[in-house]
């Protein structure tokens, strides 16, 4: 509210209008993200035609820059549903003297790791900051005792997960895959900026279902929402013969009426929704804020969607019609090849959850995920969902979750 009132005062000062106008009130942001001298405002604020008229005075944006102590202003827009989740964020203003070549470049530093990207070219969200931090000690411990040496990141993007793991752990190699060339250009630049040698990061461009290496990974990261499901078979093929871990990101429909277990979160009802393109105030940046990687396809299920099912259908159609989609969908595994053991599955220890009261839909998704992953693994392998990690509310009553799944041959 303080930010909104300050911007209202700035608008009044810049235009000489003493009384607030209804159009101003409707378009005032209540939060923003700051990246160095760039202020990034949420979608639907400040770039409305009413503010374009206010800005015509030439005094509005300089006044806002002075208020926020920044030199550049931009507005987030939802990523394009073009198969690679291209950014559509728009630059509003740059102060005189700013380098035009880097006017849309932003840099974020998390735990000493620097991530840069072009806001007009690539998407970025801080929604997975806590999840990136959570993975570091897991990988660091396994790399230190020699039990793990290779991670495959199927949706690497600009390096959301790849860079922290390389910079903050002793893992020998990360194989980073994405089909968005713009994202990979920034990934390579970020590797250089963080002084990470090329020998530790192998970058592959293309559809991960077609280019992911088989039999090398101790861990596979599937950091894509609303669903990474179309890449589950590829993730299983990546694992070493001795098995390993999958970190599977999924959105899960979590109806409030089921148990009420999500009422304790401020945006479970949409009052403070945290989407992939949401912005945060400076106070939130150290602990809150996805993900994610390029759009690698999604499966339409009752538990997997964007803001609504119609939007999911549109996104899926865009993916199938994009030049990035494979010529034909990978065939589902033959049911005869499944090595199901219902009794063994029933005896599995329930997964640990980061929340004291996991939603029943989350547990149901974990069980169905284990069954489906088992179909993509060699006969006799065991699949155990060890943990369900709540990341954020992606939309009202839609939880962004990460499932830590251990896959090992029996015996």
């Amino acid at each position: 509210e303080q930010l909104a009132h300050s911007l209202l005062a700035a608008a009044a000062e810049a235009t000489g209008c003493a009384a607030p106008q209804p159009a101003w009130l409707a378009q005032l942001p209540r939060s923003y993200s700051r990246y160095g001298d760039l202020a990034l405002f949420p979608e639907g604020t400040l770039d409305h035609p009413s503010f374009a008229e206010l800005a015509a005075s030439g005094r509005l944006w300089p006044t806002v820059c002075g208020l926020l102590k920044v030199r550049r202003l931009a507005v987030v827009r939802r990523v394009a549903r073009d198969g690679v989740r291209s950014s559509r964020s728009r630059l509003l203003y740059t102060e005189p003297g700013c380098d035009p070549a880097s006017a849309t470049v932003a840099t974020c530093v998390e735990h000493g790791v620097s991530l840069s990207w072009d806001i007009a070219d690539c998407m970025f969200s801080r929604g997975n900051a806590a999840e990136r931090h959570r993975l570091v000690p897991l990988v660091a411990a396994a790399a230190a005792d020699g039990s793990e040496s290779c991670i495959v990141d199927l949706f690497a993007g600009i390096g959301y997960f790849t860079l922290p793991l390389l910079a903050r752990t002793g893992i020998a190699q990360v194989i980073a895959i994405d089909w968005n060339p713009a994202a990979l250009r920034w990934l390579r630049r970020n590797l250089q900026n963080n002084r990470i040698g090329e020998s530790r990061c192998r970058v592959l461009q293309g559809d991960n279902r077609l280019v992911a290496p088989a039999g090398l990974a101790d861990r596979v990261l599937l950091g894509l929402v609303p669903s990474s499901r179309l890449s589950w078979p590829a993730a299983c093929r990546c694992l070493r013969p001795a098995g390993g871990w999958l970190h599977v990101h999924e959105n899960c429909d979590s109806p409030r009426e089921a148990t009420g277990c999500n009422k304790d979160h401020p945006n479970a009802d949409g009052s403070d929704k945290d989407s992939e393109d949401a912005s945060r105030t400076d106070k939130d940046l150290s602990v809150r804020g996805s993900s994610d990687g390029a759009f690698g396809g999604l499966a339409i299920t009752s538990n997997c969607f964007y803001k609504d099912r119609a939007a999911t259908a549109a996104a899926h159609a865009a993916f199938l019609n994009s030049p990035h989609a494979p010529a034909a969908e990978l065939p589902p595994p033959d049911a005869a090849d499944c090595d199901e053991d219902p009794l063994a599955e029933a005896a599995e220890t329930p997964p640990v959850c980061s929340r004291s009261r996991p939603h029943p839909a989350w547990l149901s998704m974990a069980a169905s995920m284990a069954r489906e992953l088992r179909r993509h693994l060699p006969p006799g392998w065991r699949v155990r969902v060890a943990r369900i990690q709540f990341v954020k509310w992606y939309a009202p009553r839609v939880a962004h979750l990460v499932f830590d799944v251990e896959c090992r041959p029996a015996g």
Side-chain angles (χ1 to χ4, degrees):
E1 293 293 339
Q2 183 178 358
L3 173 63
H5 287 303
S6 298
L7 289 174
L8 181 63
E13 177 185 342
T15 59
C17 297
Q21 303 298 312
W24 299 1
L25 298 175
Q27 295 299 319
L28 291 172
R30 287 179 168 79
S31 65
Y32 72 101
S33 293
R34 178 168 180 158
Y35 303 102
D37 66 354
L38 170 67
L40 195 58
F41 294 100
E43 178 186 13
T45 61
L46 295 184
D47 66 340
H48 187 273
S50 63
F51 268 89
E53 295 174 5
L54 294 175
S57 68
R59 300 191 301 273
L60 175 60
W61 299 140
T63 302
V64 173
C65 281
L67 173 71
L68 302 181
K69 296 180 173 57
V70 297
R71 303 187 67 196
R72 299 175 292 158
L73 304 173
V75 173
V76 170
R77 287 179 175 170
R78 290 189 182 177
V79 294
R81 291 171 182 154
D82 57 358
V84 294
R85 305 188 80 190
S86 300
S87 173
R88 298 189 296 181
S89 297
R90 185 171 72 90
L91 193 67
L92 289 178
Y93 174 77
T94 60
E95 283 190 349
C98 288
D99 182 3
S102 59
T104 54
V105 175
T107 298
C108 169
V109 179
E110 291 179 354
H111 302 287
V113 180
S114 174
L115 283 164
S116 296
W117 72 101
D118 190 328
I119 64 168
D121 209 18
C122 302
M123 63 152 287
F124 178 80
S125 170
R126 278 179 156 128
N128 277 1
E131 176 62 13
R132 288 193 286 272
H133 183 56
R134 182 182 77 93
L135 286 180
V136 167
L138 301 178
V139 173
D145 66 21
S147 61
E148 296 185 12
S149 61
C150 180
I151 295 174
V152 174
D153 187 350
L154 292 182
F155 303 96
I158 64 171
Y160 314 100
F161 290 96
T162 291
L163 285 163
L165 294 178
L166 286 169
R168 301 177 60 201
T169 79
I171 195 71
Q173 185 182 54
V174 174
I175 300 174
I177 304 172
D178 208 291
W179 63 16
N180 185 347
L184 292 184
R185 284 196 298 271
W186 283 101
L187 170 58
R188 292 186 176 94
R189 187 174 302 185
N190 287 326
L191 289 169
Q192 294 176 352
N193 292 343
N194 288 277
R195 299 181 179 179
I196 296 172
E198 295 182 1
S199 63
R200 295 186 64 206
C201 187
R202 179 181 171 194
V203 179
L204 300 177
Q205 181 180 337
D207 186 332
N208 58 45
R209 294 169 294 176
L210 305 177
V211 304
L216 295 180
D218 298 296
R219 290 180 189 264
V220 183
L221 311 182
L222 296 100
L224 176 71
V225 289
S227 178
S228 60
R229 190 168 185 166
L230 288 185
S231 293
W232 291 2
C236 291
R237 291 194 299 270
C238 286
L239 292 174
R240 292 185 184 275
W245 289 87
L246 308 180
H247 298 282
V248 185
H249 292 238
E250 292 290 314
N251 279 358
C252 185
D253 189 2
S254 311
R256 169 181 292 178
E257 52 272 16
T259 63
C261 66
N262 57 355
K263 289 182 179 179
D264 58 336
H265 195 275
N267 66 359
D269 61 356
S271 60
D272 181 29
K273 65 181 181 179
D274 186 6
S275 67
E276 288 303 301
D277 46 14
S279 297
R280 292 281 170 195
T281 61
D282 286 342
K283 292 181 180 179
D284 295 323
L285 298 186
S286 61
V287 294
R288 296 281 307 278
S290 109
S291 216
D292 326 279
F295 182 78
L298 66 111
I300 298 179
T301 70
S302 62
N303 282 333
C304 164
F305 49 90
Y306 274 81
K307 306 306 176 190
D308 52 54
R309 289 173 176 81
T312 295
H316 190 249
F319 160 69
L320 293 179
N321 294 325
S322 76
H324 307 280
E329 289 293 310
L330 296 175
D334 192 324
D337 295 332
C338 298
D339 187 30
E340 298 285 358
D341 184 353
L343 295 179
E345 180 184 338
E348 289 283 2
T349 304
V352 174
C353 186
S354 61
R355 293 205 151 192
S356 59
R357 291 189 295 166
H359 196 287
W362 304 359
L363 300 175
S364 176
M365 177 173 276
S368 62
M369 179 182 295
R371 287 193 296 270
E372 182 166 344
L373 288 172
R374 193 176 293 114
R375 299 173 65 194
H376 302 300
L377 291 164
W381 278 47
R382 300 294 297 271
V383 176
R384 180 177 70 96
V385 180
R387 182 178 179 86
I388 302 173
Q389 181 71 27
F390 176 86
V391 178
K392 63 178 181 290
W393 290 108
Y394 182 88
R397 293 181 291 280
V398 180
H400 175 180
L401 307 173
V402 177
F403 297 82
D404 295 348
V405 187
E406 186 178 21
C407 307
R408 305 283 182 189

